[in-house]
Amino acid sequence: MTRVFSGMQPSGAPHLGNYLGAWVNWLALQETADETIYCVVDLHAITSPVEHDPASLRRRTVELATAMLAIGIDPVRSTLFVQSHVTEHAECTWLLNCVTSFGELRKQPQFKEKSEGREFVSVGLFDYPVLQAADILLYHADEVPVGEDQRHHIELARNLGQRFNHRYGEVFTLPKAVHPPAAARVMDLQDPARRMSKSSTAEKGIVYVLDEPKRVEKKIKSAVTDSDPDARILHDRDAKPGVSNLLEILSAVTGRPVADLIAEHDGNGYGGFKTAVAEAVVERLRPIRDRYDELAADPAEVERILADGAARARAIAGPTLERAREAMGLLAPRA
Ligand code: TYM
């Protein structure tokens, strides 16, 4: 039996990197895995004060869940819920904190990236990967569909699960990350040396899943390429990061191998190539936008789906946490 778990933060509007790096595999696994569990990770979204705005967090949580439904997450086949509704996540984090070393968190690349130059760095931000490990381990997830940037976090979850099992007995299943063949790391369209990210300030470089078609087209057509006089369309992340990024996006959106796309587009210049990428992305996102508008008209229904999802999630997370508590020797309360 294969069980899948993944999550996304409600810290900004979802973008093409989230969609191609993670969501496409969430959908594929919904078809093939035995059980799929997807989560809006609101507790992660409060770890950095810059991104956390209480007034918008509630709205964004519902919006992100709505977007997940709009891309095709089926709340009957998949369990869809909000992390903070299942309090086992926070409690399991504490247990895992006690098998995590300070050193292994300090060297996490995302912590370094997010904390550097910041005046206030919360303990929550430091502990972020342990909460993520709890998310995954509570559900005995075998596979975790994520973008390339999450690789270290999934490795840590695996290590913590293994260490816990070794010290206290077999409780947790050891997960592995699942990345898409292309676009596991979608880069910013204006700065192809940087990952497309919700926390980026330049909106021009980010295609949002719910952007109007005209905006998507404009952003892709003005993507930074390079000054190659021959305008070669080749995949070389070092020498041609902008073109390589567009090739990967096109490959992911059309399902065609990069080599085929090069054969078709090399020699036609950057303008025509970008138009082809823009058209393919617009067509892929159009039905999602339409479906989002329908679903957003009934937020109460989305909240009902999330309540049902939380109950289903708790039914798995509760017994796992109980086993972990017992394995660690915590006295069970008298019934
Ligand atoms: P988050 O919310 O930043 O991103 C959600 C998913 O989108 C992927 N992603 C990308 N993929 C390709 N190219 C990009 N430019 C790009 N930007 C983002 C991310 O890899 C991720 O899969 N810590 C996680 C959320 C999380 C989680 C979990 C994930 C919390 N608990 C348990 C899996 C399992 C995060 O910040 O993702």
Side-chain angles (χ1 to χ4, degrees):
M1 152 141 183
T2 311
R3 197 181 264 158
V4 171
F5 181 95
S6 198
M8 195 172 290
Q9 294 191 72
S11 54
H15 54 67
L16 197 59
N18 299 135
Y19 180 70
L20 298 178
W23 276 351
V24 166
N25 271 339
W26 291 24
L27 293 171
L29 288 163
Q30 180 173 257
E31 302 301 320
T32 57
D34 296 295
E35 193 161 358
T36 40
I37 304 167
Y38 298 129
C39 185
V40 178
V41 293
D42 55 349
L43 296 175
H44 280 108
I46 60 175
T47 55
S48 84
V50 181
E51 287 160 25
H52 174 213
D53 167 26
S56 55
L57 181 62
R58 246 184 301 271
R59 175 177 52 80
R60 282 180 168 167
T61 299
V62 177
E63 283 173 0
L64 187 59
T66 308
M68 289 174 181
L69 295 167
I71 61 158
I73 298 302
D74 171 355
V76 175
R77 282 184 294 162
S78 293
T79 297
L80 179 65
F81 74 106
V82 175
Q83 189 185 33
S84 67
H85 293 178
V86 180
T87 54
E88 281 83 351
H89 290 241
E91 192 176 342
C92 186
T93 301
W94 185 257
L95 304 189
L96 293 173
N97 274 338
C98 300
V99 298
T100 309
S101 81
F102 185 82
E104 70 193 331
L105 291 188
R106 196 176 39 187
K107 64 174 195 250
Q108 282 291 316
Q110 287 222 339
F111 174 69
K112 284 196 201 161
E113 218 174 90
K114 286 193 173 177
S115 60
E116 237 160 37
R118 292 263 172 98
E119 207 171 292
F120 181 89
V121 176
S122 73
V123 175
L125 184 68
F126 188 65
D127 206 26
Y128 180 115
V130 183
L131 175 60
Q132 181 162 348
D135 296 342
I136 298 166
L137 296 173
L138 274 173
Y139 298 93
H140 300 292
D142 307 283
E143 297 186 352
V144 185
V146 283
E148 222 278 320
D149 64 292
Q150 294 298 313
R151 192 163 49 88
H152 296 281
H153 286 161
I154 313 304
E155 259 168 42
L156 182 79
R158 197 182 165 82
N159 290 341
L160 296 185
Q162 196 162 33
R163 194 174 306 149
F164 186 101
N165 289 350
H166 183 71
R167 286 193 190 168
Y168 304 113
E170 290 293 318
V171 173
F172 297 121
T173 302
L174 306 184
K176 71 168 200 287
V178 178
H179 303 303
R185 189 177 180 82
V186 176
M187 308 308 277
D188 189 294
L189 297 177
Q190 287 300 310
D191 180 1
R194 289 188 42 177
R195 189 166 59 85
M196 190 178 282
S197 150
K198 288 177 200 145
S199 50
S200 169
T201 42
E203 297 243 320
K204 258 182 84 185
I206 308 170
V207 171
Y208 294 104
V209 173
L210 299 172
D211 265 347
E212 282 170 25
K214 278 260 167 285
R215 287 188 73 136
V216 174
E217 193 184 325
K218 197 165 166 211
K219 286 175 180 175
I220 295 180
K221 285 190 172 169
S222 51
V224 167
T225 47
D226 52 55
S227 52
D228 176 359
D230 300 326
R232 295 294 305 274
I233 291 166
L234 300 173
H235 191 273
D236 180 337
R237 280 209 175 246
D238 297 323
K240 293 175 108 26
V243 173
S244 303
N245 190 35
L246 292 173
L247 272 170
E248 290 208 24
I249 290 172
L250 188 57
S251 169
V253 166
T254 58
R256 294 176 58 198
V258 167
D260 283 12
L261 299 172
I262 291 174
E264 181 179 334
H265 293 284
D266 188 25
N268 298 343
Y270 289 159
F273 174 56
K274 285 188 198 173
T275 303
V277 178
E279 275 171 12
V281 173
V282 164
E283 285 322 309
R284 183 65 180 260
L285 298 183
R286 192 189 300 281
I288 298 174
R289 215 176 115 82
D290 293 346
R291 182 87 184 106
Y292 183 89
D293 289 342
E294 286 169 32
L295 291 160
D298 190 359
E301 171 62 8
V302 176
E303 291 193 39
R304 192 199 59 72
I305 289 169
L306 293 173
D308 174 60
R312 283 158 62 184
R314 224 175 280 127
I316 305 171
T320 313
L321 181 65
E322 215 161 286
R323 280 179 59 201
R325 291 171 52 112
E326 198 182 306
M328 288 184 104
L330 297 168
L331 178 68
R334 272 229 177 148

